[in-house]
Amino acid sequence: MNGGYRRRDTNDNIDYLIWRLFRYWQKMQQKILDKYGLTVSQMELLGFISYATTHHIETTQITLSQETGIDPMTTSTILSNTEQEGVISTNESGIV
C-alpha cells in the first residue's frame, strides 16, 4: 500500500484540468504571437495602450507598468523597442 494515498484519475482532478487548460491557452497564445513577432508582455502593453487610447486615458510608462503588472524597467525597454520599430510614438506627456 502507499500510506493510504489513493491516486485519483487525473481527469477527475479539477486542479489538474485547470492547469492543463491554462498550459494549452498559453501555448496557443504564444503560437499566435509568434506569427507577429510579439511577446506576451508586448501584447499586454499594446493592449492597454489601445484601450487607453480608445477611452482617452492618459498613458505613461508608470501607468502602463501599474496596469499590466510589468516591471517598470521592462516596460521602458519594450516601449523603446516598439517605438524604434514604428509601432507607437511617444512624447513628453505620454504615449500617442
Side-chain angles (χ1 to χ4, degrees):
M1 200 76 174
N2 55 7
Y5 174 76
R6 191 180 133 227
R7 183 173 178 244
R8 293 178 61 192
D9 182 4
T10 54
N11 290 326
D12 292 336
N13 185 334
I14 191 70
D15 298 338
Y16 176 76
L17 292 174
I18 290 171
W19 175 78
R20 292 285 307 216
L21 180 62
F22 180 71
R23 292 293 303 143
Y24 177 78
W25 177 78
Q26 281 184 316
K27 191 184 283 188
M28 292 300 103
Q29 181 184 41
Q30 193 58 57
K31 190 174 183 177
I32 292 167
L33 291 174
D34 285 347
K35 290 180 184 178
Y36 299 98
L38 293 172
T39 65
V40 172
S41 294
Q42 288 172 318
M43 178 200 67
E44 290 175 355
L45 289 170
L46 291 171
F48 185 77
I49 290 168
S50 175
Y51 172 83
T53 302
T54 301
H55 292 87
H56 308 289
I57 299 170
E58 182 179 325
T59 308
T60 64
Q61 287 187 21
I62 297 299
T63 306
L64 283 169
S65 179
Q66 291 170 341
E67 291 294 328
T68 60
I70 298 172
D71 175 77
M73 289 304 294
T74 302
T75 298
S76 178
T77 301
I78 291 171
L79 292 176
S80 180
N81 292 340
T82 307
E83 185 175 23
Q84 287 176 358
E85 294 168 1
V87 177
I88 63 167
S89 62
T90 61
N91 59 34
E92 289 182 22
S93 64
I95 298 164
V96 202

